[in-house]
Structures are given as structure tokens and as C-alpha cells.
Amino acid sequence: MKILLINSPTPNSAIVRNMAGGLGFDGSSGIILPPLELMYYAAVLIQQGHTVRLIDAGVEDYSTPGIITFTKEFQPDFVIATA
């Protein structure tokens, strides 16, 4: 099964993704950590034999139209996205 994981774009805001609620981090745009929850999902799905792709829109600078184009080309059976 083909599964697409999307960390949605968040225009005009710095996001601290440290799984610790921002404790000890200043939230500046210089701190960019991966979307760990999606990476955990990807690891489990890959271990189960699925084909997985991950879009981290904040890091890869994907726009909404770019995400739609990627999705159409990949043709996933399921999409899991952050909101």
C-alpha cells in the first residue's frame, strides 16, 4: 500500500517541534526539528511493507499546489496529514 505523510505548511510562523512543549528552546526560525510523530508512523509502516513518502512542507518549502501535484503523481492509497 502507498501512504503519503504530510507535515502541512505553516506560513508566517516559527514552529518548534521538539516533543517537549518548547521547554529550553526559543522558537526562532533557526530551530527546525523533524515531525517526529510522522517519522514514527513512517518507520512502522515501512516495517510492515508499505511504500511511504513524507512531505515536510515547512522544510522543503512546498506550497499547497506543490503538495497537490506531488500527491497526484505519487497516487497514495492513504494520506495522513498534520493540521
Side-chain angles (χ1 to χ4, degrees):
M1 194 173 303
K2 291 168 55 171
I3 302 168
L4 176 60
L5 306 174
I6 302 173
N7 189 47
S8 304
T10 54
N12 304 321
S13 64
I15 302 294
V16 175
R17 294 178 272 171
N18 63 16
M19 303 284 286
L23 300 175
F25 292 89
D26 65 5
S28 70
S29 60
I31 299 175
I32 300 175
L33 299 174
L36 295 177
E37 69 282 3
L38 293 180
M39 294 175 73
Y40 294 143
Y41 296 157
V44 170
L45 292 166
I46 290 168
Q47 286 177 341
Q48 293 177 354
H50 300 289
T51 300
V52 178
R53 295 292 178 266
L54 171 66
I55 293 176
D56 188 352
V59 173
E60 298 175 282
D61 198 29
Y62 270 94
S63 62
T64 300
I67 292 172
I68 292 168
T69 299
F70 184 93
T71 303
K72 286 180 179 179
E73 290 172 1
F74 181 54
Q75 298 183 350
D77 298 300
F78 289 99
V79 175
I80 299 171
T82 60

